[in-house]
Amino acid sequence: MSAAATGFGQGPLSRAAALVHTLLVVEGMFLATVAPGLAGLLFLGGAPSNLPLAAVCLVPAGPGCAAALYALHHRSGDLTELHPARTYLRGLRLNTRTALALWTPLLAWLTVIAYTLTHFSLTGLPGWWAALLAVVGVGALLWGANALVIGALFTFRTRDTVRLAGHFLLRRGGASPAAASALVLVVAGTLWLTEALPLLLTSLLLFSLLHSSRPMITRTHEEYTA
């Protein structure tokens, strides 16, 4: 197909440039959304006793992730029709309430697990409890990935989103394998490189999550919105 037939801003290089531009803008918007929480984290030390306060600082990350998923899902591949910042803000306006309803309980539950594991020697519980708590925490994260995607792209009631996220996690997988792989890479990169790595790669990680969630998104659209 000739360049004239394809049209300016619609070729492979233009689409690649549009994707890079969208990822960078969404990353910047996400960092601006979570900036108040990041500022709070800078004043907290690494002591496990600060985990509850750190969780409070991370509350804005839920709406930020939902808005980023919305913006990436509705991105344009046409270099001449790019409005990622505007789309992000629309997603933030539409999804903040739902995202907080999903993210806040998940964050609280993960904080309880993390606090228990960091103080496990004081609990007097057998060692296998630690492994069980870790598995529960990973499962909660994978459920949360499904829930954030569904909540960001659809307008279900919160309890229906909770059920659908669990349904795709337990029965159809959803984005769980890809999300689990991404989780392993993030943890490894954080431990070996820098704690800022997840923040710097947020838009790329969410884009990967969105891509791996396509079957779940399609089934949700066909089976629950028709």
Side-chain angles (χ1 to χ4, degrees), residues 11 30 51 89-90 126 211:
F30 174 81
L51 280 172
L89 292 175
R90 185 187 305 121
H211 178 74

Side-chain angles (χ1 to χ4, degrees), residues 59-71:
V59 168
C65 286
L69 287 166
Y70 181 91

Side-chain angles (χ1 to χ4, degrees), residues 149-171:
V149 171
I150 296 172
L153 305 186
F154 299 93
T155 56
F156 299 129
R157 294 174 298 180
T158 301
R159 63 174 177 267
D160 293 330
T161 301
V162 169
R163 293 170 181 170
L164 280 174
H167 169 75
F168 285 112
L169 175 64
L170 297 176
R171 298 187 61 183

Side-chain angles (χ1 to χ4, degrees), residues 21 27 49-50 56 58 65 72 107 122 140 156 160 185 198 200 204 212 217:
H21 173 78
E27 179 71 26
S49 58
N50 288 328
V56 173
L58 290 174
C65 286
L72 292 172
L107 187 60
L122 303 177
F156 299 129
D160 293 330
L185 291 176
L200 297 176
L204 189 59
S212 63
I217 295 170

Side-chain angles (χ1 to χ4, degrees), residues 24-222:
L24 291 176
V25 172
V26 169
E27 179 71 26
M29 298 296 290
F30 174 81
L31 291 176
T33 302
V34 301
L38 294 180
L41 287 175
L42 291 177
F43 292 98
L44 295 177
S49 58
N50 288 328
L51 280 172
L53 293 176
V56 173
C57 294
L58 290 174
V59 168
C65 286
L69 287 166
Y70 181 91
L72 292 172
H73 178 72
H74 292 91
R75 69 185 180 88
S76 173
D78 189 340
L79 195 61
T80 64
E81 295 291 335
L82 294 180
H83 307 287
R86 184 189 306 170
T87 308
Y88 179 94
L89 292 175
R90 185 187 305 121
L92 192 63
R93 175 174 56 83
L94 294 174
N95 295 317
T96 292
R97 180 179 298 181
T98 299
L100 286 175
L102 296 168
W103 175 247
T104 305
L106 173 63
L107 187 60
W109 177 234
L110 291 174
T111 302
V112 170
I113 292 176
Y115 194 88
T116 302
L117 289 176
T118 55
H119 295 80
F120 193 76
S121 60
L122 303 177
T123 65
L125 295 172
W128 60 268
W129 267 94
L132 178 61
L133 284 174
V135 170
V136 171
V138 172
L141 281 172
L142 298 180
W143 170 87
N146 285 349
L148 280 177
V149 171
I150 296 172
L153 305 186
F154 299 93
T155 56
F156 299 129
R157 294 174 298 180
T158 301
R159 63 174 177 267
D160 293 330
T161 301
V162 169
R163 293 170 181 170
L164 280 174
H167 169 75
F168 285 112
L169 175 64
L170 297 176
R171 298 187 61 183
R172 300 193 179 185
S176 300
S181 300
L183 180 62
V184 171
L185 291 176
V186 167
V187 171
T190 301
L191 293 176
W192 293 339
L193 298 175
T194 172
E195 295 177 356
L197 185 64
L199 285 173
L200 297 176
L201 298 180
T202 296
S203 62
L204 189 59
L205 291 171
L206 291 177
F207 181 74
S208 175
L209 173 63
L210 192 64
H211 178 74
S212 63
S213 300
R214 291 298 179 192
M216 180 181 70
I217 295 170
T218 300
R219 290 197 295 268
T220 300
H221 178 73
E222 292 177 349

